[in-house]
Amino acid sequence: LVARGEELNDALALSELYCMSGRGFSVETTRHRKDGTSFPVLLTSVPMYIDKEGRRSVNTCTYLDLTGKRERERALRTANSLFENLFDRTPTAVVLCDIESRVVRGNPAFYRLFGYTPEEIDGQVIDGFVARGPYYVEAREISALVYQGKSHQARTVRYTKDGKPLDVTITAIPFTTDDGQKLLFGLYHDITAEKSAQRRIETYEAELRHLAW
């Protein structure tokens, strides 16, 4: 009534195997409703009686409908897929760090911006790699502030692997996972070209004021 086709063959084989042995079992499988629709179940069979020869038992079977569980799993897979695509494809440099500012992972844009490979920087404290001098002190202060649960945004300077300074906008966003782990997302937007253009304009304006006098 509840198993069809190959599922019926499997059900009969399981029944024969375990009823003969007097052992129970638990397995995820598919069963069918009266109207023919299939649904996932957790089938648990528990031996209730063993004959005098110990060869055959009466098993009690329970069926747990797994439809809701499977739907939640699909929703979680979809959410994970959306996140992975956003994380990997965004042109903004994004890094995920733990509570000690160690790099958990970065996206391709992050590694390109700073010139490091995942093997070089993953698992390392990020501040010592992308900040120097007074900017290192600033980076440590930002990390301490963010891990108190406060988001932070600032325009500052960070450094590439080869020592090149970058004007960047940093956005640091803390969050806590369901199991209590504290993490943060760091987003770096390279504004070097914008700052260079601004400095050229300021220099030009200063020269004009000088000529006017």
Side-chain angles (χ1 to χ4, degrees):
L1 293 178
V2 298
R4 302 179 182 183
E6 288 299 321
E7 298 159 8
L8 178 58
N9 294 333
D10 292 341
L12 292 173
L14 281 172
S15 297
E16 182 65 20
L17 173 64
Y18 285 96
C19 284
M20 287 294 292
S21 67
R23 292 182 290 136
F25 65 90
S26 185
V27 63
E28 291 190 12
T29 184
T30 301
R31 289 297 181 261
H32 295 264
R33 298 184 178 89
K34 182 179 179 180
D35 63 5
T37 58
S38 62
F39 63 103
V41 298
L42 175 64
L43 168 59
T44 302
S45 178
V46 180
M48 300 298 290
Y49 168 80
I50 300 178
D51 68 7
K52 293 179 180 179
E53 288 76 23
R55 292 177 302 175
R56 185 171 295 276
S57 67
V58 175
N59 282 32
T60 299
C61 295
T62 59
Y63 295 87
L64 177 63
D65 187 351
L66 298 179
T67 302
K69 177 187 176 184
R70 294 290 173 80
E71 289 176 350
R72 290 190 295 273
E73 289 173 346
R74 281 194 293 270
L76 180 60
R77 287 195 296 270
T78 299
N80 285 340
S81 177
L82 291 172
F83 168 77
E84 292 295 334
N85 275 282
L86 176 62
F87 188 82
D88 288 338
R89 294 169 183 261
T90 180
T92 300
V94 183
V95 64
L96 176 65
C97 295
D98 66 15
I99 195 170
E100 296 181 0
S101 297
R102 292 187 299 246
V103 175
V104 176
R105 62 181 294 196
N107 70 345
F110 170 78
Y111 299 115
R112 284 196 302 270
L113 179 62
F114 290 104
Y116 292 101
T117 65
E119 292 75 20
E120 291 174 315
I121 197 171
D122 286 6
Q124 305 298 322
V125 176
I126 187 174
D127 301 327
F129 283 79
V130 301
R132 302 182 182 185
Y135 295 109
Y136 174 79
V137 176
E138 175 203 62
R140 299 303 292 163
E141 291 174 347
I142 290 175
S143 295
L145 179 67
V146 170
Y147 283 120
Q148 293 175 13
K150 302 174 183 178
S151 297
H152 185 81
Q153 188 172 53
R155 286 193 171 197
T156 185
V157 175
R158 291 295 181 263
Y159 293 84
T160 64
K161 179 182 177 180
D162 61 8
K164 176 185 176 183
L166 297 174
D167 292 298
V168 295
T169 297
I170 298 176
T171 302
I173 305 170
F175 68 98
T176 303
T177 63
D178 291 340
D179 60 1
Q181 186 179 12
K182 292 185 177 181
L183 301 168
L184 75 79
F185 277 119
L187 288 74
Y188 296 84
H189 181 59
D190 185 3
I191 58 171
T192 302
E194 175 187 333
K195 293 287 288 186
S196 296
Q198 181 180 339
R199 284 191 284 267
R200 286 196 297 270
I201 291 172
E202 290 171 351
T203 299
Y204 177 68
E205 289 176 344
E207 291 175 349
L208 288 179
R209 287 194 297 271
H210 178 74
L211 292 173
W213 287 98

